[in-house]
Amino acid sequence: MSKHQWFKDLSGIITEGILVIDEPLNKYTMTKLGGAADVLAIPGTIEETKAIVRYAHENDIPLLLLGNGSNMVVRDGGVRGIVLHLSKLDAIRVDGNRIHAEAGALIIDVSKRATEESLTGFEFACGIPGSIGGAMAMNAGAYGGEVKDIILQCTVLTKSGELLVLSKDELELGYRKSIIATEGYYVLSADFELMKGDLKEIQAKVADLTFQRESKQPLEFPSAGSVFKRPPGYFAGKLIQDCGLQGKGCGGAEVSTKHAGFIINKNSATASDYIATINMVKSEVKKKFDVDLELEVKIVGEE
């Protein structure tokens, strides 16, 4: 089947969402990089999401889940198949000391809501630029906190469209990993359990973490955030800095002079520029320190 047939078939499924053919993905990624998706599907409901996943599975069509695009580099050739974008599934509900958030909700917005409700435990996420779905898949964390600390359960779809509710233990959360990522599940929602706290103390902690982030990270340029995982016994940014790589790069991509762990789209970079810069950094760190840097970002799509 052609992408035009997929588009036609999905048009009968998606009535509350959005469907676009040959849609450039640089509009949806934090790096502002990436070619077009054959078909981009933005479901308006959970039922539409289930139907898209089942349709892709039954017809053997590649299906890529794109969250907030903060931890993904899409190659210049774009993505074959269907790209599923859950930005319309962004509801956040509070019930006592629990928060229910749909996959497309931004983790920053959930952290803000927790603060408004005087709930403590979510402060670490006040500056993480991703969706709840992506945060669950990689057990997102910062400033000594991580999703693992506060998650109660997560509702996912399997590749065949089966609904599962996974407990904290069943999620197998570790450093930047989960069963969601290893099994290729699609997150629909997550439930977090927090504690009542003092509003002023929570606001003070959020203000401090926000200041730390804004003063240390190159937020003025498009980037995929922290590019590499922390190698055992080291800090990726320190290794890169000690290689003298800040300010260096390929084409329009560059290792940030503000934070060596970030690669920025400084001057109309292509995805090829960005990936070449990643490979250059990995090579130099290996050469100087004999450390293999492992990617925290995911690289997808065609050359």
Side-chain angles (χ1 to χ4, degrees), residues 10 13-18 41-57 63-66 82-90 102-104 155-163 185-189:
L10 288 172
I13 293 171
I14 299 180
T15 57
E16 295 184 48
I18 298 168
I42 307 177
T45 65
I46 297 287
E47 288 306 313
E48 286 184 356
T49 308
K50 288 182 190 174
I52 293 163
V53 171
R54 289 189 188 121
Y55 174 81
H57 175 71
L63 182 65
L64 173 69
L65 183 60
L66 177 68
I82 299 166
V83 173
L84 181 62
H85 191 44
L86 300 182
S87 55
K88 280 182 167 286
L89 302 183
D90 61 353
E102 291 184 339
T155 303
V156 302
L157 285 176
T158 66
K159 289 178 180 177
S160 61
E162 181 191 357
L163 196 71
Y185 293 151
Y186 304 99
V187 175
L188 292 180
S189 64

Side-chain angles (χ1 to χ4, degrees), residues 195-207:
M195 291 192 299
K196 276 290 180 185
D198 180 84
L199 178 59
K200 287 186 178 176
E201 287 180 10
I202 296 168
Q203 288 173 329
K205 187 172 182 182
V206 166

Side-chain angles (χ1 to χ4, degrees), residues 85-138:
H85 191 44
L86 300 182
S87 55
K88 280 182 167 286
L89 302 183
D90 61 353
I92 303 168
R93 292 197 309 273
V94 179
D95 182 13
N97 65 335
R98 293 183 178 179
I99 295 185
H100 172 85
E102 291 184 339
L106 299 182
I107 193 168
I108 289 175
D109 290 342
V110 181
S111 180
K112 278 181 190 169
R113 185 69 184 275
T115 298
E116 289 166 4
E117 300 285 341
S118 299
L119 294 173
T120 184
F122 226 121
E123 294 92 330
F124 74 89
C126 65
I128 296 176
S131 65
I132 286 295
M136 288 304 312
M138 66 177 297

Side-chain angles (χ1 to χ4, degrees), residues 157-301:
L157 285 176
T158 66
K159 289 178 180 177
S160 61
E162 181 191 357
L163 196 71
L164 300 177
V165 179
L166 302 174
S167 68
K168 179 178 179 173
D169 289 342
E170 289 171 327
L171 286 164
E172 297 178 14
L173 298 168
Y175 176 62
R176 302 298 176 264
K177 65 181 182 182
S178 70
I179 196 169
I180 295 162
T182 53
E183 294 293 331
Y185 293 151
Y186 304 99
V187 175
L188 292 180
S189 64
D191 294 280
F192 303 95
E193 189 161 39
L194 307 172
M195 291 192 299
K196 276 290 180 185
D198 180 84
L199 178 59
K200 287 186 178 176
E201 287 180 10
I202 296 168
Q203 288 173 329
K205 187 172 182 182
V206 166
D208 177 54
L209 295 181
T210 301
F211 172 77
Q212 288 187 52
R213 177 171 175 266
E214 290 177 349
S215 60
K216 293 175 183 175
Q217 296 181 11
L219 305 179
E220 63 273 27
F221 293 104
S223 83
S226 187
V227 174
F228 302 101
K229 294 180 182 178
R230 187 176 65 243
Y234 298 94
F235 290 99
K238 182 74 166 63
L239 292 173
I240 297 164
Q241 186 178 325
D242 290 348
C243 285
L245 296 176
Q246 285 178 283
K248 296 183 178 177
C250 305
E254 182 182 288
V255 177
S256 168
T257 54
K258 197 171 184 181
H259 189 312
F262 284 63
I263 293 172
I264 58 173
N265 177 355
K266 190 173 183 183
N267 186 21
S268 302
T270 63
S272 297
D273 294 340
Y274 204 90
I275 294 164
T277 304
I278 288 173
N279 292 332
M280 179 268 292
V281 168
K282 288 179 71 173
S283 174
E284 291 299 315
V285 169
K286 176 68 173 175
K287 197 186 303 179
K288 183 158 186 173
F289 296 105
D290 196 30
V291 173
D292 291 304
L293 290 180
E294 190 181 343
L295 285 180
E296 186 167 307
V297 300
K298 188 176 176 184
I299 298 174
V300 300

